[in-house]
Each structure stands twice: as structure tokens, then as C-alpha cells.
Amino acid sequence: MEQERPTSEKPGHPPAQASLHEVRTAENSAAFLLPKLQSMKESNPHLKLLDVGAGSGTISVSFSKLIPDGHVIGVDVNANILPRAQAVAEEAGVQNIEFQQGSIYSLPFPDETFDLTFCHQVLIHIGNPWDALREMLRVTKRGGIVAAREGDYETECVWPESSELLKFHKLMAGLMSAGGGTPTAGRQLVSWALKAGVERSQVTLSFSTTSYQTPSERTTLSEGLCDQLRGGARLREKAVKFGLGTEIDFEEMIQAWKEWAKSDDASLAMLHGEILVQK
Amino acid sequence: MEQERPTSEKPGHPPAQASLHEVRTAENSAAFLLPKLQSMKESNPHLKLLDVGAGSGTISVSFSKLIPDGHVIGVDVNANILPRAQAVAEEAGVQNIEFQQGSIYSLPFPDETFDLTFCHQVLIHIGNPWDALREMLRVTKRGGIVAAREGDYETECVWPESSELLKFHKLMAGLMSAGGGTPTAGRQLVSWALKAGVERSQVTLSFSTTSYQTPSERTTLSEGLCDQLRGGARLREKAVKFGLGTEIDFEEMIQAWKEWAKSDDASLAMLHGEILVQK
């Protein structure tokens, strides 16, 4: 079953939480796709691109800027996030974009509709990622590209270390698994693509990193995570339900993230897997 | 105490093992430094660059090509590797390079000799990396750069998973720790630089990845690791000495790596930390 993304992508989400997702752009979250996008655009400026699990739409909007003569559709399973995505598009002044509700398991489009079908941090949260990839392939034109970038949460490394931050890591991995997701998604993408029916020769695999380490990055991350620990995105409620944390744990983790953000030598980094599938 | 690198960088090392290190170039192992190198070269084509722990010299040689009017010195604590490094330089036809024996803790150069002082996968293996960074800073000119790239071995992710490959990971981390090294080096670089006496504002931190996933990359990695498991680089001898593995374990791990290399969906990836320190 498809899960809601355990994120803050809802109306009324506190700003600190939203800012954690809204820093995402095509440039920082889909760099592996951009050379291919560029070469495809040169032969066809009117590319149709689908961003699945678009959330607040910041990646979708940056795609729409990269293909001004093309068209972008962002879908998200959570209809409540769509007004925020539309607002992001309006603020950016882009016209060649629209957002609609849709599940990655059953995309509301005919076969072979898009030149490029993309998702970011979606497969990591769902139970049958190979079915999702098969559906993404269905709506992609022959000769088109399906692209996915997913974190490998087990590679997350945080410095300085503390027992509270380690506890937080385990809490998040536990929530992901309890929700049907796969904390080691990044390393499994090729395996999932093969299970979706493609040949290995159709798949290009790469890896990249996401990190937080400058004072402003540390503040953004710390505030976003503390916000979740205070109850945003129902994290606290779910954690207690699954027996993954106590009220005391949450307060200690909040303190630990606040301390972490103040450390000159602090960083958090994680590896992401990336696949380009040539249909 | 400084440790020999647990590598194959010795005369008589089997080719498979050597090939694991000799694929390293400035482009794939020092990409984070190259924009800075380029801008420094524009104002001074006669840059002096020191590569500490140069091993087989493949990175040093690619640096020497990038600064044809500059000069590169590669040092390694292990004098036995120097002939191989010189052979690599001769094969590449570069003249502006030399290799000599030297310890990262006591570099055989006066203060402020080099414009750029670099090391790759050295600090991860030694007991007092902050002292090594302080020594690298000593031989670097004011206005020059000290750069280091070190793996974070605890972020290594291997797919498909198996108990034998997990055992191998623990064996390698155990050997690194037993030898005085730090498997989580990548995430600690800023902390070590601060301990070496620099200000946080002098340090630029980044992260990148190393991965093996194409058929030829998988074969190179698998053969190199199997070679070590058969006794190369004294891995087997050291592992038994530290109680980190039995003879049966080694044979099982060799089989597991051979199987891994044959898997279409196999990959191994790891995160690296990178620092540029402005002196």
C-alpha cells in the first residue's frame, strides 16, 4: 500500500519543517538527470516532464524553468499539498506547469505520455517500489527516460556523535520501515528496476550526496527536525504508536539537535542512489 | 604511531590488488580541489604541489599533467612503493614530478614550501590525523591550500547483501581500528582540522562518493579484494593476529565477492569527506 510521505508537505505545516523540503531544486536534487534533459531538449524543446511525488513543487518548478518551451506536471498522492505547490509556481512566475493529485501506483495519464518521468525521495517510502517504477515506465514514451533519486538512510553520518542523535537515526529508520518503506533504498534502485522488467543495459546508476554543514544549513536542518520531534507531520504520534520513542526521548533529541547546530565541526551527510532508465 | 597503509602498494604486489589503487586520478579522487587548483594556476603557473601518501603515484601523475609548468612531489612512508610510482610517471611521460620517502608526521621539507598540499586516504589510517594536518600546514605557503579526501568506511553500502559481505565489512573496519585508524574519518575531517589549529572559516567541507557497479568495476573490485583475502598486503595474517577472522571465513568471503561481481544489480558505494583549508 502506498504511504503518505512522512513529511511536512501539508497545509498548516510549520515553516521550519517546510523549509527542509523547499530547498530542493532540480539542480541540487536531480543533477544526474540534467545533462540528459539538456540533450533531449536540444532535439525537442517541447518536452513533457512528470514529477511524481512533487510535494511542495520546488523541484518541479525548477524543471519548468529548465524547459521553458516544455511542460511539467507535478503529481502528489496528498491533495492537501497541491495549493502550496501552486503557490510556489506562482511565486516563481512559471506558466508551463500544473499540479494534480495522483498515486505513483496508478498515475492518471495514458500510456506513453511523457518524455521524462522523475521521482525524488518517493520510492524509499513505499512498499512496492518496483510496481511504482513499472507505472512510471508505462506513462513514459518509448525513447524517453524514467529517473529516480532516493536516499540510502543507513549511510547517514552525523558528527559530532551522541547517543541521542543515534537514537533519532534509529527512530527515523524505524518509522520508515513501519510505514512500509526501505531505509536502504539508494543501494537497491537497480534491483528494483530489474524487478520492474527493464534490462540492466537500460539502467545508468550513479550516487551522490546530500549534506548539511554551514551554519545556515545546520540551523535549517535542526529546526526542521526539532519541529517534527515536537509533533509536526505526526512523527511523535506515529513513533509512540509503533513503540519507537518515549516523551522523554523526544525532549532529549530536541536538545541534542539544538546542540549539534551550534557545533562548529558539525555535519550530516547521506548517500543517494540515482537511476536513469532508458525506455 | 604512523601505520603502513593496509594496501598493496608494495613491489611484488599482485596486479589485481594494485589495480584497485591505480585507477585513482586527480579527476576521480580530487575533483573537489580542481577548481581551486585551476584558479591558482591562472595566477601562478609554477605551482608546487605535494601529494602525501602518494602510493603508486597515479593521483600525483595526473596532478603533474594539470600543472605542466608547475612541479609535483609525491611522498610515501613506504620506500618500497617509490619505484612503482616512478614507473607510473615514466609511462605517463611526465617530467615535472619526483617521488621520495617521507612520513606525514615529519615531512622532509622546510616551512612554507608548497602552494598545495594534498592527501587521499591517508588520515583514515593513522592515529593522530590532526598532527598530520598540522604538519601539512607547516610545509604549505601562506595563502596556499591544504586539501584532504578521506573515506567514511561506515557509510559503505553493498548490494546485494550477504552475511559474508557484512563480515568482510566488519573485518576491514576492525583491521583499520586495530591499526590505529578511524573508519569514520570522512565525517571527522573538520573536527581534525580545528584540532590542528585552524579556524572553521578557513575550512571548506564537501562530500562525494566512490562506487563500483559496472561489470568491469565489479571485476576490478572483486579481484582486488579476493587477492587481499588470499593473503595479499598481509591482510589475512593481520586479521588472524587480531582475532578478526578465521581461515573458513576468508574462503567464504572470497566466494561471496566472486558471486557479487556476477550480479547484474550489484554495487558498492561509499561516502568521502573532503576539506580545503586556506592557510
Side-chain angles (χ1 to χ4, degrees):
Chain A
M1 197 194 126
E2 187 167 10
Q3 304 294 325
E4 281 180 20
R5 288 205 256 174
T7 66
S8 58
E9 293 163 0
K10 298 192 176 73
H13 53 205
Q17 229 175 299
S19 64
L20 258 188
H21 292 106
E22 295 192 4
V23 296
R24 293 176 182 168
T25 63
E27 288 74 14
N28 67 29
S29 300
F32 72 109
L33 174 59
L34 298 191
K36 189 76 190 172
L37 178 80
Q38 192 59 35
S39 68
M40 289 173 78
K41 187 175 89 170
E42 281 165 18
S43 51
N44 173 18
H46 306 291
L47 292 175
K48 292 183 75 176
L49 187 151
L50 177 65
D51 183 12
V52 186
S56 300
T58 53
I59 298 176
S60 325
V61 165
S62 55
F63 276 132
S64 72
K65 291 179 188 169
L66 290 169
I67 48 169
D69 297 323
H71 192 77
V72 173
I73 298 182
V75 299
D76 204 283
V77 70
N78 177 6
N80 292 335
I81 191 66
L82 301 178
R84 177 65 193 144
Q86 275 144 2
V88 167
E90 277 163 37
E91 280 164 32
V94 290
Q95 306 290 330
N96 58 332
I97 193 164
E98 61 194 290
F99 293 97
Q100 63 183 88
Q101 200 272 339
S103 162
I104 197 168
Y105 289 133
S106 176
L107 294 165
F109 307 104
D111 295 356
E112 305 191 9
T113 302
F114 299 95
D115 300 287
L116 292 148
T117 305
F118 172 78
C119 72
H120 183 263
Q121 292 288 82
V122 177
L123 305 178
I124 194 171
H125 293 301
I126 65 175
N128 298 305
W130 42 88
D131 289 334
L133 283 168
R134 197 179 291 115
E135 178 67 356
M136 291 171 76
L137 283 158
R138 182 187 66 76
V139 301
T140 303
K141 295 178 189 170
R142 285 169 203 276
I145 293 284
V146 169
R149 182 173 190 258
E150 301 290 335
D152 196 295
Y153 190 64
E154 289 306 324
T155 69
E156 186 188 67
C157 59
V158 181
W159 191 263
E161 294 174 318
S162 78
S163 59
E164 292 80 13
L165 297 184
L166 189 61
K167 200 179 278 183
F168 179 81
H169 176 88
K170 288 183 178 167
L171 164 65
M172 295 301 272
L175 279 175
M176 205 178 282
S177 298
T182 312
T184 55
R187 71 190 75 176
Q188 297 196 49
L189 290 178
V190 172
S191 172
W192 293 346
L194 300 185
K195 203 164 171 182
V198 307
E199 302 288 328
R200 180 63 180 88
S201 59
Q202 294 171 259
V203 186
T204 304
L205 171 67
S206 55
F207 294 92
S208 64
T209 64
T210 296
S211 66
Y212 300 83
Q213 36 112 350
T214 64
S216 73
E217 288 168 351
R218 296 198 307 262
T219 301
T220 299
L221 181 67
S222 171
E223 289 181 357
L225 297 180
C226 288
D227 197 64
Q228 291 186 33
L229 284 165
R230 286 190 201 98
R234 295 169 40 227
L235 181 144
R236 197 157 170 154
E237 177 191 331
K238 288 180 195 166
V240 171
K241 175 181 159 193
F242 292 117
L244 293 166
T246 68
E247 295 299 315
I248 292 166
D249 289 338
F250 296 134
E251 293 311 314
E252 286 176 352
M253 288 187 265
I254 287 168
Q255 275 314 113
W257 278 117
K258 284 183 178 174
E259 287 304 312
W260 175 86
K262 288 183 209 155
S263 300
D264 239 10
D265 61 344
S267 63
L268 179 149
M270 187 170 43
L271 198 137
H272 292 252
E274 304 161 336
I275 50 168
L276 291 177
V277 183
Q278 179 79 52
K279 185 171 172 185
Chain B
M1 196 195 124
E2 186 166 8
Q3 302 295 324
E4 281 180 17
R5 288 206 255 173
T7 67
S8 58
E9 293 164 359
K10 299 193 175 75
H13 54 205
Q17 228 175 301
S19 65
L20 258 188
H21 291 106
E22 295 191 3
V23 297
R24 293 176 181 167
T25 63
E27 287 74 15
N28 66 28
S29 301
F32 72 107
L33 173 58
L34 298 191
K36 189 73 191 176
L37 178 80
Q38 192 59 36
S39 69
M40 289 172 78
K41 187 174 88 170
E42 280 164 20
S43 51
N44 172 19
H46 307 291
L47 292 175
K48 292 184 75 177
L49 187 150
L50 177 65
D51 183 12
V52 186
S56 300
T58 53
I59 298 176
S60 325
V61 165
S62 57
F63 276 133
S64 72
K65 291 178 187 168
L66 290 169
I67 48 168
D69 297 323
H71 191 77
V72 173
I73 299 182
V75 298
D76 204 281
V77 71
N78 177 4
N80 292 335
I81 191 66
L82 300 179
R84 177 63 194 147
Q86 275 143 2
V88 167
E90 276 164 36
E91 281 165 32
V94 291
Q95 306 289 331
N96 59 332
I97 193 165
E98 61 194 288
F99 294 96
Q100 63 185 87
Q101 200 272 339
S103 161
I104 197 169
Y105 289 132
S106 175
L107 293 165
F109 307 104
D111 295 358
E112 305 191 10
T113 302
F114 298 95
D115 300 286
L116 292 148
T117 305
F118 173 77
C119 72
H120 182 263
Q121 292 288 85
V122 177
L123 306 178
I124 194 172
H125 293 301
I126 65 175
N128 297 306
W130 43 88
D131 289 335
L133 283 167
R134 196 179 292 116
E135 179 67 355
M136 290 171 76
L137 283 158
R138 182 187 66 76
V139 302
T140 304
K141 295 177 190 172
R142 284 169 204 277
I145 292 285
V146 168
R149 182 176 190 255
E150 302 291 334
D152 196 295
Y153 191 64
E154 289 305 325
T155 68
E156 187 188 64
C157 59
V158 182
W159 190 262
E161 294 174 317
S162 78
S163 58
E164 292 80 14
L165 297 184
L166 189 60
K167 200 180 280 184
F168 179 82
H169 177 88
K170 288 183 180 167
L171 164 65
M172 296 301 273
L175 279 174
M176 206 179 283
S177 297
T182 312
T184 55
R187 73 191 72 175
Q188 297 196 50
L189 290 177
V190 172
S191 171
W192 293 346
L194 300 185
K195 203 164 169 183
V198 306
E199 301 287 328
R200 180 63 180 90
S201 59
Q202 294 172 257
V203 185
T204 304
L205 171 67
S206 56
F207 294 91
S208 65
T209 64
T210 296
S211 66
Y212 300 84
Q213 35 110 351
T214 66
S216 73
E217 288 168 351
R218 296 199 305 262
T219 302
T220 299
L221 181 66
S222 171
E223 290 181 357
L225 297 179
C226 287
D227 197 65
Q228 291 187 32
L229 285 165
R230 285 191 201 96
R234 294 171 39 224
L235 181 144
R236 197 155 170 158
E237 178 191 328
K238 288 180 196 165
V240 172
K241 175 181 158 192
F242 291 117
L244 293 166
T246 69
E247 294 299 316
I248 293 166
D249 289 338
F250 295 133
E251 293 310 316
E252 286 176 353
M253 288 187 263
I254 286 168
Q255 276 314 114
W257 277 117
K258 284 183 178 174
E259 288 303 313
W260 175 86
K262 289 182 206 154
S263 301
D264 242 10
D265 61 344
S267 64
L268 179 150
M270 186 170 47
L271 198 137
H272 292 252
E274 303 161 336
I275 50 168
L276 291 177
V277 182
Q278 180 78 53
K279 186 172 170 183

